[in-house]
């Protein structure tokens, strides 16, 4: 980072991306290979390109620049949003967002982007497709239920919906099988170590490995908990505002939901989680709050195991905060 002399903030969307440099110069390029090449020609040496994580839209540009030897950083959109709010900015355009990202990069030590390998990229694509099919399956199930509520459902409609549901179930099974195969190809030992944690299911372990790049994307367990959206937010101001603390819900919803399901099993089979749950409930706190604390405990255990490369040890894990 000491060699960086030029900063570029990038606000990217489906068709275009806006770029603002540290001098305030603004340019817009098409979000395709032609636009990437044009942008590359405009970049000065010793530059840092900073963009927000925006799903598929940022991925291609980040990969392209990285492969061309350009220093890239992909930052959390929430961090940039908070930075803009701190500046009390009331202007919201693609240009202003790109400028804010550039200013954020100059004011903060941003993480450097590391290109994903072919396996990691495919896993992320599979997860995205899995999410799509899960939503479609829910919609089809709701439609089937709605048709039955009519009393005399159309046989043609019912057969079509059931065929679609069966096909979606088949596709989801194939995706899960392929995901497991890919994870075992590169992180077999880590998968086995994570599933040795009582209460940690295989689906949750695989998702953690894929989303964290084998736990290399986070420096500590607290960062991982924040990423999962399981850390509390305090709503308190002066003597009049005393809102209930809630989890931030910022981050991967799928991971959060899977961890919450794991927490029920962990309360029965994981000694450290059970003690934590009982201690919180005994204090008069809600059971839901206790389960969220168990989710955080599971993440801390997973992080400790992934970093140490060992299997679950009850005595050691019981000492984790």
């Amino acid at each position: 980072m000491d060699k960086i002399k030029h900063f570029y903030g990038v606000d990217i969307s489906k068709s275009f991306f806006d770029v603002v440099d540290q001098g305030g110069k603004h340019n817009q390029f098409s979000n395709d290979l032609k636009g990437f090449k044009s942008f590359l020609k405009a970049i000065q040496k010793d530059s840092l390109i900073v963009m927000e994580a925006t799903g598929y839209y940022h991925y291609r540009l980040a990969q392209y620049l990285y492969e061309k030897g350009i220093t890239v950083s992909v930052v959390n959109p929430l961090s940039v949003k908070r930075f803009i709010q701190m500046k009390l900015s009331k202007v919201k355009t693609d240009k202003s967002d790109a400028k804010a990202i550039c200013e954020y990069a100059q004011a903060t030590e941003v993480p450097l982007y590391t290109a994903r390998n072919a396996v990691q990229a495919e896993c992320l694509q599979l997860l995205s497709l899995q999410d799509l099919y899960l939503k479609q399956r829910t919609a089809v199930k709701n439609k089937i239920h709605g048709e039955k509520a009519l009393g005399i459902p159309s046989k043609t409609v019912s057969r079509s919906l059931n065929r679609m549901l069966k096909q979606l179930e088949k596709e989801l099974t194939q995706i899960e099988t392929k995901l497991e195969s890919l994870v075992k190809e590169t992180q077999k030992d880590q998968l086995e170590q994570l599933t040795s944690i009582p209460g940690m299911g295989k689906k949750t372990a695989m998702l953690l490995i894929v989303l964290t790049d084998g736990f290399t994307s986070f420096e500590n367990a607290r960062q991982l908990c924040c990423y999962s959206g399981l850390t509390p937010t305090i709503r308190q101001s002066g003597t009049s505002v005393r809102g209930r603390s809630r989890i931030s819900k910022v981050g991967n919803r799928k991971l959060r939901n899977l961890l919450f399901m794991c927490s029920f099993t962990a309360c029965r089979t994981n000694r450290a989680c059970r003690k934590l749950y009982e201690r919180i409930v005994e204090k008069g706190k809600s059971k839901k709050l206790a389960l969220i604390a168990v989710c955080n405990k599971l993440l801390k255990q997973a992080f400790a195991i992934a970093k140490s490369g060992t299997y679950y040890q009850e005595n050691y894990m019981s000492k984790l905060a």
Side-chain angles (χ1 to χ4, degrees), residues 2 19 26 38 58 65 88-89 91 125-127 144 151 155 205-206 211 234 248 267-268 276 288 291 293 299-300:
D2 294 336
V19 180
H26 171 250
S38 297
H58 83 272
L65 293 173
L88 302 178
S89 176
V91 181
Q125 291 176 50
L126 285 169
L127 285 175
I144 290 174
K155 290 183 179 180
M206 288 195 300
L211 293 178
I234 307 300
S248 64
C267 286
R268 298 194 308 270
L276 176 63
K288 185 176 181 180
L291 288 172
L299 281 177
K300 291 176 181 178

Side-chain angles (χ1 to χ4, degrees), residues 234-290:
I234 307 300
R235 299 169 65 238
Q236 179 175 321
S237 178
T239 58
S240 59
V241 179
R242 286 292 187 275
R244 292 177 60 185
S245 297
R246 303 171 187 229
I247 59 173
S248 64
K249 292 188 179 181
V250 175
N252 192 286
R253 179 185 296 179
K254 185 176 182 179
L255 175 59
R256 195 162 54 247
N257 290 340
L258 282 175
L259 284 167
F260 194 73
M261 295 303 295
C262 287
S263 67
F264 291 94
T265 304
C267 286
R268 298 194 308 270
T269 60
N270 191 311
R271 184 181 176 185
C273 290
R274 184 172 64 252
K275 285 186 175 181
L276 176 63
Y277 177 84
E278 292 173 348
R279 186 166 67 249
I280 293 175
V281 172
E282 286 174 1
K283 291 181 179 179
K285 303 294 184 180
S286 70
K287 292 182 179 179
K288 185 176 181 180
L289 180 65

